[in-house]
Amino acid sequence: MVRRPFLAMAFALWSLAAIHPAWADITVLVPSGSEGDGLRAAAADYAKLKGTKVEIVQAPYNNVFEQAANAGQTKSGAFDIVLMDDPWIPFFAENGHLEDLTPYFQKAGKDGPDDDFLSKSLALCRNPYNSGPYICLPYVGNAQMFFYDAAKFKEAGIEEPKTWDDVLKAAKALTDKGGGRYFGYVFRGGQGNPVVADFMPLFWSYGANLFNEDRSKVTIDTPEGAQAMKMFMALRDVSPKGVESYNANEVGQALAAGTAASSINWPNWVATFEDPTQSRMVGKISYTGIPAGTNPGSSEIGHWTMGIMAAAKNKQEAFDFMQWATSPEQIKVSAERGNPPVRTSTFTDPDLTKQEKFRHYPVLMKAIQASTPRPRHPKWPEIENAFGIELSKAVAGAETPEEALKNAQAAVEKIAGTK
Amino acid sequence: MLRSRSAAVTQEVAAYCGIAIALVITLFPVYWIASNSFKYDIDIFAIPPEWYPVNPTLKHYRAAFIERPFLQYALNSLIIAVSTTAISVVLGTLAGYALARFQYPGRWRHQISFWILSTRMMPPIVTIIPLYVAFNYLNMLNTKPAVVIAYTAFNLPFATWMMKSYFQDLPVELEEAAMVDGDTRFGAFLRVALPLARPGLAATSIFCLIISWNEFLLALILTLTERSQTLPIGIAGRVTQYHTYWGEISAAGFFACIPIMIFAFIVQKHLVRGLSFGAVKG
Amino acid sequence: MTRALPTSTLSHRARGSGLEQWVERHLRILMLAPAMLVLLALTIFPSAYMFVAAVTRISPNPDLPWEFAGLQNFTRLLTDQQFHIGLRNTLVFTVSSVTIEFLLGLGLALLLDRYVRKLNVLKTLLMLPMMLPPVAVAITWKLIYEPQFGILNELMFNLGLPPQAWAGDARLAMLSLIIADVWQWTPFMFLLMLAGLASLPIEPYEAAAIDGASAWRQFRDLTLPFLKPVIAIALLLRIMDALRLFDLVFILTGGGPADRTKTLSLYIYQVAYRFADQSYAAAISLFVLFATVAFSTWFIKRMRLAE
């Protein structure tokens, strides 16, 4: 009787000791989802090609930032490469967690990445934005598009929504007719990243932004901001109840199930919308650029980029892998696996554009070229959080839009340390 | 106290109804996740909802366990849970017995008991960064032993506390009798107290196993890949930025519940008796 | 109830070797030591790190040195809105959940104890929720609460009530959280109460029945006092766990909407891992730790659990 726990302990220790897998040559941190799956497959291909073992660590979106930040702060060397959502780049770059790629390019005889990459994609990968040295390479060319049910919009009198007023008009008509089970518009109201990501295009299309040109002033509580907020609230009124906690999943499902007529969303949802086992709206959803307000509509860019960590153990091999993974051939393979590309050649490749599931490529490429990135600030996670809370409160009706703008202004000022 | 028969019967019926309702409420969510694990995505999202899988499919189980490494996650969870439980229960039983039976100077015993309890009050969140730093220094990140060590930190106090209370409820006379008969104190512990405390040991072990099997936060930070990731991490990982893979989550989630359900049934007698302090009478 | 064994050996003949005798004499230390040492080793470094972190400023840049910051991190607690919200949410959640769990658990235990004593299967089934991984529970309830295709709204629809956003509704999120937690942890209370009830002595009840005491009076004057130690432990354990709740909130609501369900543990996580501010996170954690210790001390004294 006493023997049993000792046996259990012995067995446990033995099994712990017995399992020691082979070490990988490079370790890559990626988000769960199609980017991660795509890179996982690419790693397997690379292993066969070069014999280098690439270990892929997948984590949910938020956890990717946390793991990478943890590794960077403690110089743990747990990862050689991290896949970063572009708003995170200033945090990692300015805290010294990323390796400057210039010497690696020079060693390979180049100045930098080639110009088949979209210019807006490359601009993200430099710190400071668009001017400093390269600290990462673009991998997944995400930029928001506007998705809508063309037939329903036509019924409501709008051929193709060009401005937010168009959208509001159609959405209101559709929601009024919908009787509580069908809505003309849906968006991500979840506090933090979701609501901020869905609000920024609106913000920009009325000429507002979080900071001024040189990041010395916070410019949230401005007349432009108020206008954007007004349209946002109007759209909220014609959206389903509960949007204040929606994330991309709920929004995508609403469109796929045919319970909402339009939304902003990310391109990899196209695959889901066209999949008959997941969508009731196959072939019925159209894509266009972000509608305009007082300014032309600007899609929000949300690229995934690959960078080498400063404390990585195998930096040269990491760089070689990155070069390979972002080469034209591999970007095309990645596109076929469901990740939007970052190269002009891939976007215009007839093999791809002739396929139904890539019919949105021309729209997407245009969207990227006309896109705006979210503000580049090393404290972006905190700023996004604070801004997101106020937006979420406004969406939930817990405070007035005016209060939300005022509080957001004050909170961001405190974080950014400006006035 | 006289009570009419009909009132008593009504009471009984009402009681049974109450129990039945409790049973339904308790079991329905488990049934729901199980049934959803066998439905196609489009049926999961059906309005009005399907109460049972009309078109059952094993697609999600295939996706989770064959295409994705959920089998490995489960194995990791098992190894970690068993290891932690073994260490915690063995050390905890010894310590619990000591605290229950021996005199300690001054208010030491009270202090020690309290200190053991207080390790359970520590919010695990910030201890993780130093743990991460420590394991990184020892090159033990993303290994199962690291997770076991971290889990022992909170399972051990629990096991100690539990066993202490079980031993306290065992009358000392039996052990004294054994010692009068010539056994040593430790011998009395081994041959008299321990067998009597078997239900308590079972209960404690099961609780430790469950806690370890279910733990999420520590594993989230300390594990990185299939080498050491556990089932809860795998399940949470299917809530991605764009998509909640409801089917896979239901499959993996239900699977995570199965071993626990089986185990609970096997030891149900011991478990209930253990917590009923069913030992020597009067 | 308990009596410690005497510290001198009772055996009246010398047994075994010198080592065995030495072991016997020092048993009280030897049995306790392994556990103590392990715990000490596991808690000393994290605790030290935490204390140091709380009084410094640690930058996310690993090449910058740690600056001493005195009590700055703690004074920040006084003006931090998000911290106050976290504190309020945690308290509301803890008090509500534990109270409901206790009442339901006790009620169910009383029912089962009186009417269905023998069915172990029933007890095991009713115990199920607390055994399940909190992650699985969170996902299940997330599905149930889902505004578009979740069955709760289907139920509302059938009852003629308007559909709600539940976990996504600023007014209902906390309630949704509490419901899920109550579902999962009432069995814990139930189990402990049942065990306590099963060990009640019969004689006092027989005497009371002869004296003509009503069921309610028997409950109030006999059952409750007998159960007090079990109730106290159950409450203490549940409260300590509810104060540290993480998994359920993390997955079900993530702290939203509008911060309505952001508990302290979630806030600490956010500060430590999303804002990369280890020092402030350590300060908040210390606050939570001290508060919990203070509460537990008071509670134990109050319930006279000191042993």
Side-chain angles (χ1 to χ4, degrees), chain C residues 71-138:
Chain C
L71 293 177
Q72 255 181 44
N73 290 321
F74 292 98
T75 49
R76 189 169 152 190
L77 288 174
L78 296 172
T79 55
D80 186 0
Q81 268 270 41
Q82 294 190 38
F83 169 71
H84 296 150
I85 292 176
L87 190 58
R88 190 195 67 200
N89 288 339
T90 308
L91 290 174
V92 166
F93 173 79
T94 303
V95 171
S96 315
S97 296
V98 178
T99 308
I100 299 176
E101 284 158 17
F102 170 63
L103 293 174
L104 285 180
L106 184 58
L108 203 56
L110 286 170
L111 278 182
L112 236 78
D113 181 65
R114 176 155 175 184
Y115 293 103
V116 199
R117 268 199 177 231
K118 300 285 181 165
L119 241 53
N120 278 342
V121 176
L122 195 61
K123 287 176 213 159
T124 313
L125 284 178
L126 287 171
M127 270 186 340
L128 211 45
M130 73 173 182
M131 301 192 160
L132 305 175
V135 175
V137 172

Side-chain angles (χ1 to χ4, degrees), chain C:
Chain C
M1 201 169 7
T2 74
R3 238 168 57 208
L5 286 178
T7 48
S8 58
T9 69
L10 280 180
S11 55
H12 43 259
R13 56 175 209 264
R15 261 187 84 77
S17 64
L19 178 65
E20 281 185 23
Q21 281 186 18
W22 182 85
V23 165
E24 269 297 295
R25 266 199 302 276
H26 293 93
L27 209 53
R28 64 178 174 158
I29 297 184
L30 286 178
M31 287 184 79
L32 192 56
M36 292 296 107
L37 288 176
V38 168
L39 273 183
L40 205 65
L42 291 177
T43 54
I44 258 204
F45 177 62
S47 306
Y49 190 96
M50 213 167 78
F51 279 104
V52 171
V55 292
T56 55
R57 280 185 79 79
I58 305 182
S59 158
N61 188 336
D63 295 324
L64 292 180
W66 295 13
E67 308 166 358
F68 183 70
L71 293 177
Q72 255 181 44
N73 290 321
F74 292 98
T75 49
R76 189 169 152 190
L77 288 174
L78 296 172
T79 55
D80 186 0
Q81 268 270 41
Q82 294 190 38
F83 169 71
H84 296 150
I85 292 176
L87 190 58
R88 190 195 67 200
N89 288 339
T90 308
L91 290 174
V92 166
F93 173 79
T94 303
V95 171
S96 315
S97 296
V98 178
T99 308
I100 299 176
E101 284 158 17
F102 170 63
L103 293 174
L104 285 180
L106 184 58
L108 203 56
L110 286 170
L111 278 182
L112 236 78
D113 181 65
R114 176 155 175 184
Y115 293 103
V116 199
R117 268 199 177 231
K118 300 285 181 165
L119 241 53
N120 278 342
V121 176
L122 195 61
K123 287 176 213 159
T124 313
L125 284 178
L126 287 171
M127 270 186 340
L128 211 45
M130 73 173 182
M131 301 192 160
L132 305 175
V135 175
V137 172
I139 292 288
T140 308
W141 280 95
K142 205 170 154 90
L143 192 59
I144 292 177
Y145 284 139
E146 224 284 345
Q148 278 167 2
F149 49 82
I151 45 154
L152 200 54
N153 269 347
E154 180 64 23
L155 193 66
M156 297 288 281
F157 186 67
N158 289 335
L159 291 175
L161 296 169
Q164 300 297 330
W166 301 113
D169 187 323
R171 297 159 303 157
L172 296 176
M174 180 54 89
L175 180 66
S176 309
L177 197 61
I178 292 173
I179 292 176
D181 192 76
V182 163
W183 178 84
Q184 183 170 27
W185 289 105
T186 301
F188 178 79
M189 285 292 194
F190 159 71
L191 195 63
L192 260 65
M193 296 295 125
L194 194 64
L197 287 173
S199 69
L200 292 179
I202 311 179
E203 296 84 5
Y205 288 91
E206 290 176 345
I210 291 174
D211 283 348
S214 71
W216 168 247
R217 288 227 40 220
Q218 287 184 23
F219 175 73
R220 195 188 68 182
D221 297 332
L222 288 178
T223 312
L224 276 185
F226 275 132
L227 282 184
K228 200 163 88 146
V230 182
I231 293 179
I233 292 186
L235 283 179
L236 185 63
L237 287 176
R238 247 340 270 153
I239 289 175
M240 290 197 315
D241 279 349
L243 286 175
R244 303 183 312 159
L245 178 82
F246 183 81
D247 302 3
L248 189 62
V249 207
F250 188 70
I251 296 195
L252 193 58
T253 65
D259 267 3
R260 286 298 163 87
T261 56
K262 183 144 82 177
T263 56
L264 281 180
S265 52
L266 215 62
Y267 186 50
I268 295 173
Y269 181 84
Q270 192 178 46
V271 171
Y273 293 104
R274 306 250 174 97
F275 304 164
D277 193 344
Q278 290 181 46
S279 329
Y280 189 45
I284 307 175
S285 297
L286 281 178
F287 171 85
V288 173
L289 179 62
F290 287 143
T292 315
V293 169
F295 170 77
S296 307
T297 316
W298 170 82
F299 189 83
I300 290 177
K301 279 217 177 75
R302 188 89 205 289
M303 293 285 174
R304 272 172 265 124
L305 278 185
E307 284 140 332

Side-chain angles (χ1 to χ4, degrees), chain A residues 17-42:
Chain A
I19 295 165
H20 47 251
W23 299 106
D25 292 318
I26 15 175
T27 312
V28 185
L29 176 63
V30 304
S32 323
S34 59
E35 307 87 358
D37 294 343
L39 204 49
R40 185 189 277 263

